[in-house]
Amino acid sequence: MKHKLAVNIPIEFCAVEMFNPKTQRTYMHQLPIMFPDKFAEAIFAVSEPLFAKLFLGDVDAQEYWDHVATRCSWFRNHPANTLDPTSRAKLIPLSLYGDEVQSCRNTEGGVVSVLGWSSDFGHGKPPLSRYFCICCVCEHYCTPNTHKQILTHVASRISAMCSPNSLHNWTLNGYNFTYSSTQGDLKYVSEKYGLHNYRKNDFCSRCLCKKSDPNPGMTLGNFRLDSSHLATRLDHDAFFELMGVTSSEFNPLFSIPGARLERVLHDVMHSQLLGTGKALNGSVLTSKCGKKCIWRLEEWIIPHCDGRGVAYCVC
């Protein structure tokens, strides 16, 4: 709230379905939401240099987008690819990020779901200067419809914000936003977007790989280059055709131009810091250093390995 008063960011209220545990009934609640377009407008009104610092950072945006246009297959049919290439120097990649936070009220524990957004060029900044809150909601009061309704409101505003025809105070100075990716840990991606349900046997939304299958080539444990599941790779259109629904019917998120299944990104730092990544990455780095694939890094890593050449404290 202090930030709102200081920067004068309007908070709007949108109707979403909630559950009242006392009455055991659902009702329509006016949820406070801080939409990205109003946030960006307020920042630009304070200072254009502040706007550029938060959303462009120290990145050469022209070089970045030229690289993406040349190397990245997901960009070929992206709306931003139709823009004048000379405008890329002020083109900001917007991403949604969701996560859950353990919280307490008095002695009761609970979970608060937070939806935020960021510029992909915000890396290296403190968290509150990189991720900007859209809304928070207590999971205890959510129904199966709550998050989809929130995303319907948010997707509509982001679609308008990223339109090349949008008019905002920043567009007058040549800046534009475009939708880049959808991010979150695997639990959030699974529960809020309905993708990569790791609890199911057919857990993957990008291919037909399974945890258990009569054909060993279709299983998760098969890492061979000729494994059968590699031939079942699904793109955005093939996945939703298989599901028998349009992408926007599956989740309102995909009504945003440029929001594609290929750009739903699992936050790898959750596995890096909390899971198997911290062990596997160390072993991969050690192997690369042993083969002189990583210049000079072996000077630090090799002393931190055990006798078998396995890095035990790389992270």
Side-chain angles (χ1 to χ4, degrees), residues 263-285:
R263 295 293 291 165
V264 176
L265 308 178
H266 168 223
D267 183 2
V268 295
M269 292 310 294
H270 281 75
S271 61
Q272 168 65 24
L273 299 178
L274 304 175
T276 57
K278 59 177 179 274
L280 297 178
N281 290 353
S283 298
V284 170
L285 284 172

Side-chain angles (χ1 to χ4, degrees), residues 9 19 42-43 48 54 59 63 93 100 110 115 140 144 169 177 189 200 237 240 251 264 267 302:
I9 302 171
F19 176 73
I43 294 296
E48 182 179 347
L54 287 178
V59 176
E63 181 182 6
E100 294 179 347
L115 180 64
H140 185 60
N169 51 8
F177 285 88
V189 168
K200 297 173 62 177
D237 298 322
F240 290 110
N251 194 290
V264 176
D267 183 2
I302 296 303

Side-chain angles (χ1 to χ4, degrees), residues 1-55:
M1 186 61 71
K2 291 181 180 179
H3 190 68
K4 170 186 178 290
L5 293 174
V7 188
N8 194 27
I9 302 171
I11 294 177
E12 302 175 41
F13 293 84
C14 298
V16 298
E17 185 179 275
M18 303 289 281
F19 176 73
N20 187 329
K22 292 183 179 179
T23 63
Q24 295 292 300
R25 294 179 181 274
T26 60
Y27 68 102
M28 297 307 293
H29 175 72
Q30 295 296 317
L31 182 73
I33 298 180
M34 195 156 48
F35 286 106
D37 56 340
K38 294 300 182 182
F39 185 99
E41 282 184 353
I43 294 296
F44 192 88
V46 172
S47 161
E48 182 179 347
L50 176 62
F51 180 92
K53 180 179 180 181
L54 287 178
F55 300 128

Side-chain angles (χ1 to χ4, degrees), residues 13-231:
F13 293 84
C14 298
V16 298
E17 185 179 275
M18 303 289 281
F19 176 73
N20 187 329
K22 292 183 179 179
T23 63
Q24 295 292 300
R25 294 179 181 274
T26 60
Y27 68 102
M28 297 307 293
H29 175 72
Q30 295 296 317
L31 182 73
I33 298 180
M34 195 156 48
F35 286 106
D37 56 340
K38 294 300 182 182
F39 185 99
E41 282 184 353
I43 294 296
F44 192 88
V46 172
S47 161
E48 182 179 347
L50 176 62
F51 180 92
K53 180 179 180 181
L54 287 178
F55 300 128
L56 288 176
D58 300 321
V59 176
D60 185 334
Q62 184 74 47
E63 181 182 6
Y64 169 82
W65 287 113
D66 289 346
H67 174 85
V68 168
T70 304
R71 302 294 184 90
C72 300
S73 59
W74 62 266
F75 192 69
R76 292 171 191 160
N77 297 317
H78 195 278
N81 200 25
T82 63
L83 300 176
D84 182 354
T86 61
S87 69
R88 293 172 180 168
K90 292 186 175 181
L91 185 60
I92 302 165
L94 183 157
S95 293
L96 285 178
Y97 182 88
D99 204 351
E100 294 179 347
V101 181
Q102 299 292 327
S103 60
C104 292
R105 186 181 68 177
N106 298 326
T107 58
E108 294 184 26
V111 175
V112 174
S113 180
V114 181
L115 180 64
W117 68 287
S118 70
S119 164
D120 290 356
F121 298 153
H123 56 83
K125 292 184 173 61
L128 293 180
S129 295
R130 179 178 181 181
Y131 297 105
F132 312 110
C133 182
I134 296 176
C135 67
C136 303
V137 61
C138 179
E139 289 292 325
H140 185 60
Y141 300 106
C142 290
T143 75
N145 299 320
T146 303
H147 289 282
K148 281 194 174 183
Q149 291 174 354
I150 292 173
L151 285 170
T152 298
H153 294 299
V154 173
S156 175
R157 292 291 283 269
I158 290 181
S159 297
M161 177 183 180
C162 294
S163 169
N165 300 318
S166 66
L167 290 176
H168 297 277
N169 51 8
W170 68 77
T171 61
L172 300 177
N173 286 38
Y175 297 94
N176 283 292
F177 285 88
T178 189
Y179 194 77
S180 173
S181 66
T182 307
Q183 304 171 18
D185 70 349
L186 191 55
K187 183 174 184 291
Y188 194 94
V189 168
S190 174
E191 294 180 356
K192 304 304 186 291
Y193 303 131
L195 301 168
H196 304 304
N197 190 341
Y198 53 91
R199 298 179 180 90
K200 297 173 62 177
N201 187 45
D202 49 342
F203 61 93
C204 186
S205 299
R206 293 300 314 281
C207 72
L208 302 182
C209 183
K210 294 179 174 57
K211 295 179 183 178
S212 177
D213 191 86
N215 177 7
M218 289 296 294
T219 60
L220 173 63
N222 193 319
F223 288 91
R224 294 172 59 91
L225 294 178
D226 61 349
S227 60
S228 303
H229 61 74
L230 288 179

